[in-house]
Amino acid sequence: MEFLNQINTQITDLLGPLGPLFVLGFVGVVLILLTLPVMLKKEKDPLDKLREANRVSKPNKADKLRMNDGHDKLEKYSNFLEPQDDEEYSAIRLKLIQAGYRSKNAVRMYHFAQFALGSGLLLLGVAYAIYNSSTGDPTPQNTILSILLPGVVGYMAPKYWVNKRHGQREEEIINGFPDSLDMLLVCVEAGQSLDQSIVRVAVELKAGHPALAEEFDIVAHEMKAGKDRQQVLKDMSERAGVDDVRSFVTVLVQSQKFGTSIADALRVYAEEMRDKRVMRAEEKANTLPTKMTLATMMLTVPPLLIILIGPSVYGIYETLQGANF
């Protein structure tokens, strides 16, 4: 008690008669500030979370896309950016789908990219030509090339990118298709239906072959929506753009049409696809020595000639130098 009285006396001498009250208020504020983080980090009651979820349901990504009221900024230029011929539009649309671009405005964005890059690089070429003509005296041919070449490169760049993406996706589908057939065969022989097997394969292939898994996922959703199975499979073959997939779809359609066993058809076709993949690997291995011939000649023949002929050439040169003196 004597210790507390001493502290009280010192606080009264420093802060006046109300000094102890000020100190108690300050301590209380500090304690409140220390407890606020603990209170804020307190987890919500699961019942409260359930009530909030029922009260306000947040839409997922797909719902946001369906409920999006915004308009595409390029929609008013659709007559300029999209082909008006139905066949041409369908061909470009199918090409973009096979490259993996499935959005509704993919054709519009593709032509806009061609127009924007072509126009932008063409303007850069004009600026470079003006700068080059002011600093020097270029020929008309160089001026025309410096203007047109960037524009042509910018216009063809989106087409090159789409073709590259299409080739990569096609190669990925070809490499992963035999594995998908083996999975389908295992699922069908385990007692699952073809629809359930396709759903299972789509889930299993997402890690290794996402492009092929996406195709099977689309097939599964279209079948769940009630679309005819034959039409769904034919649409898959068109989207994939791979001969192996077209043959597989033909086998399934004929198996369903004539009532034969799907498991037997899958077993035969899966074995054929495995053999075909081995043949492709052997073909690439057989072409490797031919591809390495040029590099081998360029890297080994010149050093070999220098080692063999170099001393003789040097000796002849020294002899000629001595004869001149």
Side-chain angles (χ1 to χ4, degrees):
M1 293 296 294
E2 185 177 357
F3 176 72
L4 295 176
N5 291 330
Q6 291 179 358
I7 294 176
N8 190 14
T9 303
Q10 291 178 0
I11 294 174
T12 304
D13 295 336
L14 291 173
L15 301 176
L18 298 178
L21 295 177
F22 292 151
V23 172
L24 290 175
F26 177 77
V27 172
V29 172
V30 171
L31 293 176
I32 292 172
L33 293 176
L34 291 176
T35 55
L36 277 177
V38 179
M39 295 177 64
L40 292 175
K41 289 183 180 180
K42 184 180 178 181
E43 297 183 357
K44 292 184 179 180
D45 188 20
L47 293 177
D48 295 337
K49 293 182 180 180
L50 183 60
R51 294 190 190 97
E52 291 178 1
N54 292 332
R55 190 181 307 114
V56 180
S57 59
K58 296 182 179 180
N60 54 19
K61 186 177 180 181
D63 294 334
K64 288 181 179 179
L65 292 176
R66 295 189 188 98
M67 294 185 296
N68 189 11
D69 294 330
H71 298 285
D72 186 7
K73 295 181 180 179
L74 299 177
E75 187 176 359
K76 55 184 177 181
Y77 305 108
S78 60
N79 293 330
F80 172 72
L81 295 175
E82 294 180 354
Q84 300 302 315
D85 187 11
D86 294 338
E87 294 183 359
E88 184 179 359
Y89 180 85
S90 300
I92 297 175
R93 173 71 174 164
L94 180 60
K95 187 76 173 180
L96 293 173
I97 289 176
Q98 291 176 351
Y101 301 102
R102 306 180 183 278
S103 60
K104 183 176 62 176
N105 57 347
V107 178
R108 195 179 307 156
M109 290 298 298
Y110 171 72
H111 287 289
F112 174 74
Q114 283 187 321
F115 174 76
L117 288 177
S119 302
L121 293 181
L122 184 65
L123 293 177
L124 289 178
V126 171
Y128 174 75
I130 294 173
Y131 174 77
N132 195 15
S133 61
S134 63
T135 56
D137 191 13
T139 61
Q141 184 178 2
N142 293 334
T143 303
I144 293 174
L145 286 177
S146 62
I147 293 175
L148 295 181
L149 188 60
V152 173
V153 171
Y155 181 80
M156 297 301 295
K159 186 175 182 180
Y160 169 76
W161 176 258
V162 170
N163 291 333
K164 182 179 178 181
R165 287 283 301 159
H166 175 259
Q168 292 176 351
R169 193 168 183 274
E170 183 177 354
E171 184 178 0
E172 182 181 349
I173 292 175
I174 291 174
N175 293 332
F177 194 62
D179 297 334
S180 67
L181 291 180
D182 292 335
M183 292 182 186
L184 275 176
L185 178 60
V186 171
C187 293
V188 170
E189 289 183 343
Q192 292 184 343
S193 64
L194 182 61
D195 299 350
Q196 295 173 344
S197 302
I198 290 175
V199 174
R200 181 66 178 179
V201 170
V203 174
E204 295 294 335
L205 288 177
K206 285 184 179 179
H209 307 283
L212 190 57
E214 184 181 2
E215 293 296 335
F216 278 111
D217 198 17
I218 293 174
V219 170
H221 282 86
E222 288 182 347
M223 286 183 178
K224 288 180 181 179
K227 195 173 181 180
D228 184 59
R229 180 184 296 176
Q230 295 185 4
Q231 187 61 39
V232 169
L233 294 174
K234 290 179 181 179
D235 292 342
M236 175 186 174
S237 64
E238 291 182 0
R239 289 193 307 267
V242 178
D243 293 335
D244 295 341
V245 179
R246 293 191 185 97
S247 302
F248 166 71
V249 169
T250 303
V251 169
L252 287 185
V253 170
Q254 290 180 352
S255 176
Q256 183 180 2
K257 183 178 180 180
F258 295 107
T260 58
S261 174
I262 295 178
D264 295 338
L266 285 174
R267 185 180 299 104
V268 174
Y269 197 74
E271 184 178 358
E272 183 181 350
M273 287 296 102
R274 286 195 299 270
D275 295 340
K276 194 173 181 180
R277 182 167 60 180
V278 172
M279 292 175 60
R280 284 197 299 265
E282 291 177 351
E283 182 181 356
K284 290 183 179 180
N286 293 330
T287 58
L288 187 60
T290 306
K291 295 179 180 178
M292 292 181 62
T293 301
L294 182 61
T296 304
M297 293 178 62
M298 292 178 62
L299 296 175
T300 58
V301 174
L304 184 62
L305 292 176
I306 293 173
I307 293 171
L308 296 177
I309 305 176
S312 301
V313 173
Y314 181 74
I316 295 171
Y317 174 75
E318 290 292 333
T319 303
L320 293 176
Q321 288 293 107
N324 291 332
F325 287 111

